[in-house]
Amino acid sequence: QVQLVQSGGGSVQSGGSLRLSCAAFGHTYSGYYLAWFRQAPGKEREGVAVIVGDGSTNYADSVKGRFTISQDNAKNTLYLQMNSLKPEDTAMYYCAATPVLYRGNWADRYNYDYWGQGTQVTVSS
């Protein structure tokens, strides 16, 4: 059983930066799809970024060029570096992991078996 424990987040002004972390316990990430999602009040949970075993990444158009997903295999930890933050980035952020994309699209939340507890990111203008 994989347990994902998130840290980081908080409040920042527009243009600022934050880094989220997601540590895995009970299993290794090796070969998994590892992703960050976010959910704003009243909106669907949306995929933000994903990284896979070979190190390839993909991002939502809304965060390309501003966010960077990475992983430290030695620490079994996933990161999301968020720069040039905007008020519309305000949301609860979740990390997620799955050994396989059951539904094909990495940004489909129903692909993911394991979820972190969520951490709030608030960007003020």
Side-chain angles (χ1 to χ4, degrees):
Q1 182 75 15
V2 175
Q3 183 182 9
L4 303 179
V5 179
Q6 296 180 224
S7 59
S11 297
V12 66
Q13 288 192 328
S14 182
S17 298
L18 287 171
R19 189 176 81 157
L20 306 182
S21 300
C22 174
F25 298 92
H27 199 277
T28 179
Y29 273 144
S30 179
Y32 275 51
Y33 290 81
L34 308 173
W36 289 97
F37 283 75
R38 66 186 181 187
Q39 188 166 17
K43 294 189 176 182
E44 293 290 319
R45 191 171 297 189
E46 64 173 351
V48 174
V50 66
I51 188 167
V52 297
D54 61 1
S56 60
T57 59
N58 206 345
Y59 296 89
D61 288 343
S62 59
V63 306
K64 280 181 182 176
R66 300 188 298 121
F67 290 12
T68 302
I69 188 170
S70 63
Q71 62 184 87
D72 185 331
N73 290 327
K75 296 181 178 180
N76 222 24
T77 300
L78 177 71
Y79 302 99
L80 184 69
Q81 178 66 43
M82 303 182 292
N83 298 328
S84 302
L85 282 160
K86 305 175 181 179
E88 51 264 43
D89 295 317
T90 295
M92 186 72 78
Y93 283 70
Y94 299 88
C95 59
T98 183
V100 63
L101 292 183
Y102 306 106
R103 297 161 68 104
N105 177 5
W106 70 266
D108 185 337
R109 62 178 293 186
Y110 296 105
N111 277 310
Y112 295 85
D113 297 318
Y114 307 104
W115 291 87
Q117 80 276 18
T119 186
Q120 180 67 37
V121 171
T122 303
V123 184
S124 58
S125 57

